[in-house]
Amino acid sequence: MENLKGLNKVISNIQNGPQSLRFSKLDAKSLQIVCFSDASLANMEPNKTNSGEGYLTFLSDETGKCALINWRSKKIKRVVHSTIASECLSLVDAIGDACYVRNIVEEILYKNPRKKDIPIHMYTDSKQLFRAISSTHMVNEKLLRLNIAEVKQIVNDENENLSVYWIPTKMMLSDCLTKLGASSEKLANVMEQGRLELEEIYQNRACLND
């Protein structure tokens, strides 16, 4: 019965979801990679010991016009014991994806995949992770220290042209990729309109370098 209810909900979401996807023409002079990373803790079936991650990678311009280039919603490879660990592993994977997308775009536009002129803006809604990345204090989980150090190294390297921001959960577009029942309305609107609400994001975000 529970499976049937779940199936009916999926069908309803599909029927009421976006009827079209818009890929807007972007301003090539102000391109940026915008990536939303989110995770959940120990909520994956069948035994709910595994955690999930999800991220969305957009190519956008300064006006907010955007195109969704890649996305993932999957089980985190290793069992984690805290939310910060799941959020961090998701962010590491999302950074790798965003950097790969930038390489491809810059190879097409500039014939140089290592140019790194297009900035990457990473977004997480985990305050705990955000503080850990910006702090000089190490986290308690030893396995997690290496992942956080990896993110710190990339963020602190000016040549990488990559920033990590915190935003409120209500603005996290990939929330619906990691949690059952989370609203996908904001993501659906972005997909239909082909535009990110960058002004709202800028007003509510906090940067590691602020």
Side-chain angles (χ1 to χ4, degrees), residues 30-49:
S30 65
L31 291 178
Q32 57 185 326
I33 304 294
V34 181
C35 187
F36 298 86
S37 170
D38 195 32
S40 58
L41 178 64
N43 69 336
M44 301 290 288
E45 298 291 353
N47 51 19
K48 294 194 175 182
T49 58

Side-chain angles (χ1 to χ4, degrees), residues 28-201:
K29 295 181 180 179
S30 65
L31 291 178
Q32 57 185 326
I33 304 294
V34 181
C35 187
F36 298 86
S37 170
D38 195 32
S40 58
L41 178 64
N43 69 336
M44 301 290 288
E45 298 291 353
N47 51 19
K48 294 194 175 182
T49 58
N50 293 106
S51 303
E53 68 173 54
Y55 56 82
L56 300 156
T57 305
F58 292 90
L59 181 63
S60 176
D61 63 20
E62 64 182 6
T63 69
K65 292 179 181 177
C66 69
L68 180 62
I69 303 300
N70 200 15
W71 67 274
R72 284 289 185 276
S73 178
K74 63 179 184 178
K75 181 176 71 175
I76 293 176
K77 292 181 179 179
R78 77 170 191 241
V79 175
V80 296
H81 305 281
S82 64
T83 301
I84 184 176
S86 62
E87 293 279 2
C88 184
L89 293 178
S90 177
L91 181 63
V92 169
D93 285 345
I95 287 175
D97 187 78
C99 290
Y100 176 76
V101 168
R102 178 171 64 182
N103 289 350
I104 297 298
V105 172
E106 293 192 332
E107 183 171 15
I108 294 172
L109 295 179
Y110 314 129
K111 309 300 180 184
N112 183 0
R114 301 183 183 275
K115 194 174 179 66
K116 298 181 181 179
D117 275 357
I118 298 176
I120 295 176
H121 302 298
M122 305 296 305
Y123 291 97
T124 177
D125 64 350
S126 171
K127 284 187 177 180
Q128 193 177 10
L129 174 60
F130 184 75
R131 294 191 188 107
I133 296 173
S134 58
S135 173
T136 56
H137 297 289
M138 292 188 293
V139 296
N140 293 328
E141 296 181 50
K142 292 182 179 180
L143 278 177
L144 189 58
R145 292 176 185 176
L146 293 176
N147 300 116
I148 290 180
E150 181 182 3
V151 176
K152 284 183 177 181
Q153 184 179 41
I154 294 173
V155 171
N156 292 330
D157 186 348
E158 293 183 358
N159 294 324
E160 291 293 338
N161 200 6
L162 184 149
S163 300
V164 175
Y165 301 88
W166 172 86
I167 54 173
T169 299
K170 65 180 181 180
M171 301 179 65
M172 176 50 65
L173 294 181
S174 57
D175 194 46
C176 59
L177 301 182
T178 63
K179 300 171 186 68
L180 184 65
S183 174
S184 60
E185 182 178 354
K186 279 185 173 292
L187 176 57
N189 289 338
V190 170
M191 299 297 294
E192 280 192 306
Q193 298 169 12
R195 180 181 293 274
L196 292 166
E197 297 296 334
L198 290 183
E199 185 175 347
E200 182 183 4
I201 292 173

